[in-house]
Amino acid sequence: MFKYIGKRLIYMFLSLWLIVTATFFLMRAVPGGPFTSEKQLPPEIQKNLNQYYGLDQPWYHQYFDYLTSILKWDFGPSFKYKGQTVNDLINGGFPVSFMLGMEAILIAIAIGVILGVIAALKHNKWQDYTAMVIAVLGISVPSFIMAAVLQYVLAMKLQIFPVARWESWAHTVLPALALASTPMAFIARLTRSSMLEVLSNDYIRTAKAKGLSRGVITVKHAMRNAMLPVVSYMGPLVAGILTGSFVIEKIFGIPGLGSHFVLSISNRDYTTIMGVTVFYSILLLFCILLVDIAYGFIDPRIKLTGAKKGE
């Protein structure tokens, strides 16, 4: 286990270095600069700003300084948020994005697994068809379209939930549902197909022959083995939830990290773009590592390290 985690950590550092390098040079390749949009900026002030932020240094000097600052967990000052660093923006915005993301993930897993199990147990019946229609709609409709529909129906017409803002639990429901719609559909389809495969295995027939109840067979024997594809989807699920929250937070006026990221793109705030990208990359790589480790706990037959020849 420790040997495997050590290898994965090395791969994570290499992947993170590639991401940091690619982000750095892509930002430098974008035409213009962080102060291009400033109106009637005198050359003297432009020069002072470039000198203050180190933009007058050669690219290799800036690159080395940025790598050093990341190792110190210092993403530098924001170009557009005066008096704030990128670390301040992450510390203030990420807890909001994390709460929204966790709520969306819980909704997606809970409803998706329930729909998938029902569809598999009621194969080729109306319950199966209904669950798959819901899944197809969830996959087909983008999250920002779903957000607009939820706002119009549940907020404006029925007035059940607030339209936007982030003030109470009620304000989290609509954005969480909009974020969860697509992954919920994928989880439902994955659970259904996996459950159908597991239910056709010999050990399920043996359990039925022993007189075990349907609930025990489903929960204790079938669902545990059927959850492996769902667990493997958890890594991309976290990435989809976090990147999808960028647009959803902007639509619902949520003061999360995603809204800062969207504004930083339009403002050419290079340090914020790079800092948020690196932060989310670290989070994604760590989540993928946790998913791989979880395989061994869900199914002990899966080995984290490759088996030796002849085993």
Side-chain angles (χ1 to χ4, degrees):
M1 172 71 75
F2 292 106
K3 184 178 179 181
Y4 173 79
I5 294 177
K7 288 182 178 179
R8 289 302 305 270
L9 288 175
I10 294 175
Y11 295 147
M12 286 173 59
F13 279 115
L14 290 175
S15 301
L16 185 60
W17 173 73
L18 292 174
I19 293 171
V20 170
T21 302
T23 306
F24 178 85
F25 286 105
L26 284 174
M27 289 298 97
R28 294 303 182 272
V30 174
F35 309 112
T36 303
S37 60
E38 300 289 345
K39 296 181 179 179
Q40 297 180 352
L41 194 63
E44 295 80 7
I45 298 180
Q46 176 83 38
K47 182 179 179 180
N48 291 335
L49 288 173
N50 289 333
Q51 184 177 4
Y52 177 78
Y53 289 107
L55 300 178
D56 58 339
Q57 299 291 331
W59 65 267
Y60 52 84
H61 193 281
Q62 297 182 42
Y63 176 66
F64 179 77
D65 288 345
Y66 190 67
L67 289 179
T68 305
S69 63
I70 288 179
L71 292 176
K72 297 177 181 178
W73 198 250
D74 180 13
F75 295 112
S78 171
F79 289 156
K80 296 298 181 179
Y81 292 91
K82 305 302 181 183
Q84 287 187 291
T85 64
V86 179
N87 293 69
D88 295 333
L89 298 178
I90 293 176
N91 294 335
F94 179 69
V96 176
S97 298
F98 180 79
M99 290 178 58
L100 176 61
M102 287 302 300
E103 186 174 344
I105 290 173
L106 292 176
I107 292 174
I109 294 175
I111 299 179
V113 170
I114 291 173
L115 288 178
V117 171
I118 292 175
L121 295 178
K122 303 294 183 179
H123 185 47
N124 288 332
K125 296 181 179 180
W126 68 267
Q127 294 95 331
D128 184 15
Y129 300 141
T130 302
M132 288 303 98
V133 167
I134 296 174
V136 170
L137 289 176
I139 295 174
S140 304
V141 180
S143 59
F144 60 90
I145 299 295
M146 182 64 69
V149 172
L150 292 174
Q151 283 180 322
Y152 179 75
V153 176
L154 297 181
M156 299 177 66
K157 289 296 183 180
L158 300 180
Q159 297 183 354
I160 300 177
F161 299 104
V163 177
R165 307 307 300 169
W166 185 267
E167 299 175 359
S168 64
W169 176 83
H171 290 81
T172 69
V173 176
L174 294 186
L177 288 175
L179 270 178
S181 59
T182 300
M184 177 196 69
F186 276 108
I187 290 175
R189 292 175 65 89
L190 283 173
T191 305
R192 175 182 180 273
S193 60
S194 184
M195 280 287 292
L196 288 175
E197 182 180 355
V198 169
L199 290 173
S200 63
N201 289 335
D202 292 336
Y203 67 88
I204 297 296
R205 299 191 185 96
T206 303
K208 292 180 180 178
K210 289 182 177 179
L212 297 179
S213 64
R214 188 173 186 179
V216 172
I217 294 174
T218 301
V219 176
K220 188 175 180 180
H221 297 282
M223 283 189 63
R224 179 174 180 177
N225 295 313
M227 286 300 101
L228 283 176
V230 176
V231 172
S232 65
Y233 178 61
M234 288 299 295
L237 171 62
V238 173
I241 291 292
L242 293 178
T243 55
S245 66
F246 292 170
V247 179
I248 297 300
E249 288 178 13
K250 191 67 176 176
I251 293 175
F252 286 92
I254 299 174
L257 192 55
S259 59
H260 294 320
F261 185 78
V262 173
L263 288 176
S264 66
I265 295 176
S266 59
N267 293 332
R268 298 175 183 243
D269 192 348
Y270 294 161
T271 52
T272 302
I273 297 173
M274 295 166 63
V276 174
T277 301
V278 172
F279 177 77
Y280 274 134
S281 299
I282 295 173
L283 184 63
L284 174 59
L285 292 172
F286 182 71
C287 290
I288 293 176
L289 175 62
L290 291 181
V291 168
D292 290 342
I293 295 175
Y295 282 161
F297 292 98
I298 296 177
D299 191 348
R301 296 171 298 177
I302 297 177
K303 294 183 179 181
L304 294 178
T305 57
K308 296 180 180 179
K309 187 176 181 180
E311 292 185 353

